[in-house]
Amino acid sequence: SYTFLQQTQLSYAHEPALPQRWVTGSCLRELDIPAGPNLGKLLEEAYDIQLNEQVATRQELIEWVKNRAKKIS
């Protein structure tokens, strides 16, 4: 019913639409990945991996980023 939908919507109102990124530009720079188009590409790919639950932890994602950075540099 409409009331149920309203109550359900309100119960999720405090939840973010998307989770916080596990890997940021600062993280990539700490891994000595230089600024530039590849940095942005890595950030987007890493977030997609996170959202698609292809890794279970932040550390796994960082390992994926390190390996991916070697391939696209």
Side-chain angles (χ1 to χ4, degrees):
S1 77
Y2 182 73
T3 304
F4 171 77
L5 292 176
Q6 279 185 315
Q7 290 171 343
T8 303
Q9 181 183 19
L10 288 174
S11 71
Y12 287 104
H14 65 283
E15 297 289 327
L18 292 170
Q20 194 169 30
R21 290 176 185 262
W22 288 347
V23 174
T24 63
S26 298
C27 296
L28 296 185
R29 287 190 299 277
E30 287 174 14
L31 297 172
D32 294 324
I33 297 171
N38 285 342
L39 184 119
K41 184 176 179 177
L42 274 173
L43 281 174
E44 289 306 312
E45 288 180 11
Y47 197 44
D48 286 344
I49 295 289
Q50 176 186 339
L51 292 176
N52 290 318
E53 299 179 343
Q54 292 174 281
V55 294
T57 66
R58 180 177 184 270
Q59 189 57 42
E60 284 180 35
L61 186 57
I62 289 171
E63 290 303 315
W64 180 89
V65 166
K66 289 178 185 178
N67 290 327
R68 182 72 175 127
K70 291 175 189 174
K71 293 178 183 176
I72 65 172
S73 60

